[in-house]
Amino acid sequence: MSEHITQQRILLACGSGNVRLWRNNVGTGWAGQATKITPGNLRAVSQALRPGDVVIRQGRPLHAGLCVGSSDLIGYRQVDGVAQFVALEVKSATGRATKEQTQFLDHINGVGGCAGIVRSVEDAHTVLSADIAHS
């Protein structure tokens, strides 16, 4: 099963009651003045472009997500009236976490959050039902 389908199933199965989860898309895109290339304006361009391409002038990177390595699903679980940060890194049956993802999960768990790698709804339930670490 793909990570995307697993994420959707976890969101539906686990994101209610005392748990709230959101998708955390991490990556880089581009922002600026966009011009869609059409057959009518293709001649005005000196690059090898095709209809449907988009040219971004004065482009600048746009970074999305919490940070590099942050988990696919983030949110909170409420325990004894307190919201605890939750981070779930969703992987396929054979997927592996990157060094940055592992560091993020370790950090969240180290500061009293609830985090883990999950490959199924059952894994997510296990992580989300773990005892709170008291400091």
Side-chain angles (χ1 to χ4, degrees):
M1 182 179 324
S2 73
E3 287 182 19
H4 175 74
I5 291 172
T6 302
Q7 284 175 14
Q8 294 303 313
R9 289 183 177 180
I10 291 169
L11 283 168
L12 289 171
C14 301
S16 63
N18 69 336
V19 176
R20 293 289 183 262
L21 296 171
W22 294 275
R23 175 72 174 103
N24 177 43
N25 289 306
V26 178
T28 302
W30 290 89
Q33 295 177 331
T35 303
K36 186 166 185 174
I37 303 303
T38 64
N41 68 5
L42 186 58
R43 289 191 182 116
V45 180
S46 63
Q47 299 291 323
L49 299 173
R50 297 182 179 161
D53 287 353
V54 175
V55 174
I56 300 176
R57 299 181 191 282
Q58 301 172 349
R60 59 195 177 281
L62 175 66
H63 303 283
L66 293 179
C67 63
V68 173
S70 59
S71 296
D72 297 311
L73 302 176
I74 59 168
Y76 66 89
R77 69 178 185 174
Q78 187 175 355
V79 181
D80 298 330
V82 176
Q84 180 188 37
F85 188 81
V86 169
L88 301 177
E89 183 59 40
V90 180
K91 294 293 177 192
S92 68
T94 58
R96 293 182 155 186
T98 65
K99 175 183 164 188
E100 292 84 3
Q101 290 168 337
T102 301
Q103 288 173 338
F104 183 81
L105 295 170
D106 289 346
H107 175 74
I108 297 304
N109 283 320
V111 296
C114 172
I117 295 172
V118 297
R119 299 175 192 280
S120 66
V121 170
E122 293 76 22
D123 287 352
H125 280 302
T126 299
V127 170
L128 292 169
S129 63
D131 288 338
I132 291 183
H134 295 284
S135 354

